[in-house]
Amino acid sequence: MSSRTRRVGSVPAKIGYSFKRFFWQIADRDGLITVTHCGKLGDFIASLPVASWLYKTRGKRIHFVLASSFEPFTKIESLLLLQEMTGEVTLADFPIADWEKGGRPYEHNPNRFGVRVGEYYNFGFRHAPRRFVPEYVAEEWGLGVDSEFKLNLGEYAKHDGVLCSDDYMLVEVPQATALDLTQDLLTNARLMAGARESHVSQSGLFHILDWAGVTPTRVYIYPHSVNLHLFTQRLNEFDVKQVHRAVR
């Protein structure tokens, strides 16, 4: 068994997934597999290796059904449609009560919100993760993690810009220009990937660059984000600066 097909989770979770897989292979052999998420952005990006595992082991593309009330998801479609695994992207009016814990509740049946789907999985944080986030997400359902997953940014141009991902970072990087966050995520990710200098906080954009194999010039860790080691396996490749200044 290759590392791509390694499954994690309890025995009951693995058995449950096996029964679900068997049923849907018969009932909907050519359909999509739906993955839902309610935010936040970095949490969602870290779940993509699990969605990729589903695609590669099942041969079915992924229908991402995302919370419309989470603003970054309104700018993510072009990025997701670049990925080989993506079949469709839909926004749904999932009710979210707790953004501080990653968007809760995250367990929603898309059919109850006007999105007709068959097989689906709710990806989210049932409690604060204590292990590598893709594995943490996968274990709830007895799924696996695609260890070969790489986010595709398509073609982008190199340029002489010095950019930072958030305007509050201008205190630490006054020579930089903050990204225009009204633009779609793919546009901003390409700008950062092509920049002479790219300075990022531990934000969703950092996770996009990380999973695309792009190493930012520097990563800034503010008090509200202190769990970088749970989201990346390239920690020793980054120039990390701890900032003891509250920005939220």
Side-chain angles (χ1 to χ4, degrees), residues 12-45:
K14 291 179 180 179
I15 292 173
Y17 168 69
S18 295
F19 276 111
K20 192 170 186 177
R21 170 179 178 160
F22 178 76
F23 173 81
W24 285 108
Q25 286 297 96
I26 295 174
D28 191 19
R29 184 178 300 274
D30 299 320
L32 302 176
I33 297 176
T34 295
V35 167
T36 76
H37 209 284
C38 294
K40 298 181 177 178
L41 183 57
D43 303 347
F44 172 66
I45 296 300

Side-chain angles (χ1 to χ4, degrees), residues 195-211:
R196 175 168 58 87
E197 291 186 25
S198 55
H199 300 265
V200 295
S201 65
Q202 187 188 344
S203 61
L205 189 58
F206 161 75
H207 299 295
I208 290 172
L209 296 177
D210 181 26
W211 285 103

Side-chain angles (χ1 to χ4, degrees), residues 5-16:
T5 60
R6 178 174 54 87
R7 287 166 63 182
V8 296
S10 65
V11 171
K14 291 179 180 179
I15 292 173

Side-chain angles (χ1 to χ4, degrees), residues 63-208:
H63 178 191
F64 292 101
V65 180
L66 309 175
S68 60
S69 56
F70 183 56
E71 195 270 341
F73 284 163
T74 67
K75 299 177 173 63
I76 203 170
E77 183 175 25
S78 57
L79 175 63
L80 289 180
L81 289 178
L82 266 184
Q83 313 313 311
E84 181 182 339
M85 66 178 160
T86 304
E88 190 173 346
V89 180
T90 303
L91 299 182
D93 192 22
F94 296 144
I96 311 300
D98 193 343
W99 292 112
E100 289 307 311
K101 295 183 179 179
R104 294 186 185 179
Y106 66 90
E107 305 95 335
H108 298 297
N109 180 346
N111 293 287
R112 296 179 180 175
F113 297 89
V115 185
R116 303 305 300 172
V117 305
E119 181 181 7
Y120 70 90
Y121 299 88
N122 301 130
F123 288 176
F125 284 3
R126 55 202 180 276
H127 50 69
R130 293 291 185 268
R131 65 183 298 180
F132 185 45
V133 168
E135 294 180 349
Y136 168 79
V137 171
E139 71 180 355
E140 180 174 10
W141 299 98
L143 306 179
V145 177
D146 178 6
S147 63
E148 301 170 355
F149 174 73
K150 186 174 182 179
L151 198 61
N152 178 20
L153 298 183
E155 298 294 325
Y156 56 86
K158 295 291 185 179
H159 61 92
D160 202 41
V162 178
L163 302 178
C164 65
S165 60
D166 303 273
D167 57 8
Y168 60 75
M169 297 176 61
L170 293 172
V171 174
E172 282 70 47
V173 201
Q175 75 276 21
T177 299
L179 289 175
D180 177 2
L181 298 182
T182 66
Q183 295 196 93
D184 67 273
L185 289 168
L186 179 60
T187 295
N188 277 336
R190 286 172 168 173
L191 284 172
M192 291 293 276
R196 175 168 58 87
E197 291 186 25
S198 55
H199 300 265
V200 295
S201 65
Q202 187 188 344
S203 61
L205 189 58
F206 161 75
H207 299 295
I208 290 172

